[in-house]
Amino acid sequence: MSEITRTRTALGGALLLLVLSACGESADQRPAPATATATEPEATAIPEAPSAPLAVTAHGPVRGFVEDDVLVFKGIRYGADTATTRFAAPATPALWTEAKNATAFGASCPQTPTGNPGGLFSSWRPEPSPPLSEDCLFLNVWTPGLDDAARPVMVWFHGGGFSSGNGSSNAYDGVRLARRGDVVVVTVNHRLNVFGYLALGHYGEGFEDSAVAGVLDMVQALEWVRDNVAAFGGDPDRVLIFGESGGGAKVSTLMATERARGLFHRAIVQSGAMIRFPEQAAAQAAADKVVENLGLTAETIDDIRTLPVETIRAAFADTGAASAPSIDGRTLTRHPFEPDAAPPGKDVPLMLGTNRTENSLFMGAANPAVFDLTWEALPEALARNYPNADVAAIIAGYRELQPESDPADVYFEATTDARWLAGHVLQAERKVEQGGAPAWLYLFNWDTPVDGGKWRSPHALEIGFVFDNVAKSESMSGVGDEQQQIADMMSDTWIAFARTGDPNHDGIPRWPAYDLENRPVMVFDTEPETMNDARGAQRALLDDSDAYGNRYQR
């Protein structure tokens, strides 16, 4: 048996930003010079062929490099500089005829430098860190060959909420995944925060797409995949989109986006189910605060297109604006999974799940004292998160179900079960009720030994295993035979789903699709097993899925 209960709050807005941003791995990035109008990646010298593969895209040729027998192309431009389309839909790039270097990551969208809770993300940081610029519409491709093999395509959308991050983290390096599964891996940069989601549509012409500009970037990236991935040995009719945390929310968003219909054929949401978008009225009111802070009015709003990046970012700070895309009536016409699953994703198989103690990262980073909670202090700690709940009954229930657990176990697991797990169960239920393609629900249960094991199974832990990047995840998971065993299992599962739309393979027990009667869950651990309604008894003690669904509300 997997030790789902083995021994081992309400999130404030600032804490949520701190840790979700850390998941995007954008820390210590440097802004591009203020005078720069274009930020082509600062590529290293291109080696001589055949170690410098040349691919021809619809916009022009790109030359990459070879790493461990995988062809790598970094910083491929899929859109024009967004400074020229600020708060509007992206434009396609100008054509080029000379081969462009594709050997270094492109710029990331301007964002606030982020934290590194407990040092867990240290080994994920790329060196050098890419610059920050509005000229950020770049993607990266890893492929086993430039041929007609029609391989499955795995397109990754990074975490960091909708506010920070990029596709350049070491954790997302696609070499091992591409080689292991004979797949094409793609990671994407797109607009974020105030540049991607500021709801200015009520200001009139030219701002109609401002609340969803980042979503339209992602759609354009998927259109690039459709039009170009065959040249990289991929199959445009077998595209998986997947992402963790904010990346999972982006996947959920794309499943509700009519313009993205047909651009992907499977989807995976890792610790990021998106149930509801911020309400349009609240998003627009927050945007009005940004406009007011800039000293602009409805009559002078066009000036916002040419203001310096840092001026806009300063005006955006602490307004609650642009936390996520909001319903604009054009690209997004409804919530993704409220009151039910949105029609565009009906025929897309979905795999989704959470880690057992997501909140050990959030709560532990904010207040390390919670790792040493006592039974006497636990009721007050839980009551701070759930002031209207019967915390004594919740604690008693956990102690009965998990007599081996200590107070910190109960604290982290109760707050995770009630929100993260409950939110993903809700999304799975609504996917099943839709009556379309199936869903599979998982629980990642393995504990990292880093820092003596105090983090348990925190938010983002599974990413390095999904990409088979144990060696690049030492700060998060440690390295060793057990870690590689987990990576073998996880990456093969993700590859199987990309290949067939079904996650089953020889390395795991049979995993039935989710249903509302048996509720099968794959529990990933050193001994994986399928369990019906895993942690359902714990989840029944406290359901805070509504708060989870509203986590992007401001």
Side-chain angles (χ1 to χ4, degrees):
M1 292 285 291
S2 294
E3 299 176 61
I4 302 199
T5 60
R6 67 173 175 268
T7 301
R8 286 293 172 239
T9 148
L11 297 176
L15 171 60
L16 183 64
L17 176 61
L18 165 68
V19 185
L20 288 184
S21 296
C23 295
E25 275 313 284
S26 61
D28 301 326
Q29 290 173 315
R30 59 189 185 279
T35 56
T37 58
T39 53
E40 296 296 341
E42 297 178 2
T44 55
I46 299 178
E48 294 298 321
S51 57
L54 181 71
V56 179
T57 76
H59 303 113
V62 292
R63 194 177 294 280
F65 61 98
V66 179
E67 182 178 348
D68 292 341
D69 298 323
V70 172
L71 311 184
V72 183
F73 298 83
K74 295 181 177 180
I76 301 175
R77 179 181 292 281
Y78 73 88
D81 183 350
T82 66
T84 66
T85 58
R86 186 185 281 177
F87 305 121
T92 56
L95 302 182
W96 65 86
T97 56
E98 296 289 328
K100 286 185 178 288
N101 291 350
T103 56
F105 292 121
S108 308
C109 182
Q111 57 195 268
T112 300
T114 61
N116 182 19
L120 291 176
F121 297 92
S122 297
S123 62
W124 287 7
R125 292 176 169 177
E127 291 293 341
S129 186
L132 302 177
S133 171
E134 287 188 271
D135 190 11
C136 62
L137 300 189
F138 298 99
L139 52 77
N140 315 294
V141 179
W142 291 262
T143 179
L146 304 179
D147 50 31
D148 58 0
R151 299 171 178 87
V153 182
M154 303 177 71
V155 180
W156 174 261
F157 292 105
H158 64 78
F162 290 87
S163 300
S164 64
N166 56 43
S168 311
S169 168
N170 288 336
Y172 314 154
D173 184 279
V175 168
R176 290 180 61 86
L177 192 61
R179 187 178 61 199
R180 180 184 193 99
D182 194 28
V183 297
V184 178
V185 178
V186 180
T187 67
V188 180
N189 288 359
H190 53 83
R191 278 176 286 183
L192 301 163
N193 53 69
V194 68
F195 300 101
Y197 306 106
L198 188 64
L200 296 171
H202 54 304
Y203 285 91
E205 185 177 357
F207 296 101
E208 300 91 342
D209 296 315
S210 60
V212 294
V215 176
L216 294 175
D217 293 346
M218 290 184 272
V219 171
Q220 185 157 300
L222 290 172
E223 290 172 339
W224 184 97
V225 169
R226 177 197 61 197
D227 297 339
N228 294 280
V229 81
F232 293 83
D235 183 353
D237 295 319
R238 201 164 29 151
V239 175
L240 163 76
I241 59 172
F242 66 132
E244 186 271 348
S245 192
K250 293 163 193 174
V251 169
S252 301
T253 297
L254 289 166
M255 292 186 73
T257 304
E258 186 63 40
R259 287 189 57 174
R261 189 193 290 260
L263 295 176
F264 59 94
H265 314 95
R266 307 92 161 84
I268 301 177
V269 172
Q270 301 170 214
S271 305
M274 183 81 161
I275 307 299
R276 291 182 287 277
F277 296 124
E279 296 301 328
Q280 184 182 54
Q284 291 180 346
D288 288 341
K289 294 180 185 177
V290 177
V291 173
E292 180 181 353
N293 289 346
L294 289 169
L296 300 177
T297 65
E299 289 70 34
T300 60
I301 188 63
D302 282 344
D303 292 348
I304 199 171
R305 302 181 196 280
T306 55
L307 290 174
V309 165
E310 291 307 315
T311 300
I312 293 174
R313 293 185 66 241
F316 156 68
D318 301 321
T319 61
S323 62
S326 53
I327 294 172
D328 66 317
R330 289 157 51 99
T331 298
L332 300 179
T333 59
R334 52 154 290 165
H335 296 294
F337 284 89
E338 176 73 26
D340 53 13
K346 181 177 181 178
D347 297 326
V348 177
L350 174 65
M351 188 169 87
L352 72 165
T354 63
N355 300 351
R356 192 185 78 258
T357 64
E358 300 274 358
N359 271 343
S360 59
L361 180 68
F362 294 86
M363 307 301 193
N367 180 17
V370 297
F371 290 114
D372 300 313
L373 275 174
T374 64
W375 290 116
E376 292 74 21
L378 179 58
E380 181 182 353
L382 272 180
R384 284 196 295 269
N385 294 279
Y386 302 107
N388 299 318
D390 185 347
V391 296
I394 293 167
I395 294 169
Y398 269 87
R399 295 190 74 170
E400 180 179 356
L401 291 166
Q402 307 175 188
E404 73 282 8
S405 293
D406 66 26
D409 291 328
V410 173
Y411 180 72
F412 294 137
E413 292 176 3
T415 56
T416 298
D417 291 336
R419 291 192 176 183
W420 295 86
L421 180 56
H424 287 73
V425 168
L426 177 62
Q427 189 174 48
E429 289 173 343
R430 290 183 174 170
K431 176 65 172 168
V432 170
E433 290 166 350
Q434 189 177 37
W440 286 266
L441 184 64
Y442 73 83
L443 174 68
F444 186 70
N445 195 56
W446 184 83
D447 287 353
T448 176
V450 169
D451 289 340
K454 72 176 186 180
W455 297 99
R456 283 84 167 168
S457 183
H459 189 69
L461 174 61
E462 87 288 356
I463 295 174
F465 299 118
V466 167
F467 280 85
D468 191 18
N469 277 334
V470 170
K472 296 180 183 291
S473 298
E474 183 173 6
S475 62
M476 175 66 77
S477 65
V479 297
D481 292 343
E482 184 170 297
Q483 285 86 341
Q484 190 56 54
Q485 174 191 349
I486 300 292
D488 292 345
M489 174 176 54
M490 297 285 285
S491 58
D492 284 348
T493 301
W494 267 240
I495 289 165
F497 191 67
R499 190 171 302 282
T500 68
D502 185 320
N504 283 283
H505 61 96
D506 291 342
I508 59 173
R510 179 178 174 273
W511 183 4
Y514 198 73
D515 66 70
L516 302 184
E517 180 179 359
N518 296 310
R519 300 177 176 271
V521 178
M522 176 57 67
V523 180
F524 287 111
D525 208 328
T526 51
E527 296 292 334
E529 68 171 319
T530 304
M531 298 186 66
N532 287 342
D533 201 17
R535 300 194 69 82
Q538 289 90 336
R539 187 165 44 83
L541 294 169
L542 177 65
D543 182 357
D544 200 26
S545 57
D546 192 60
Y548 179 82
N550 286 324
R551 70 194 185 284
Y552 287 106
Q553 304 292 334
R554 293 292 184 269

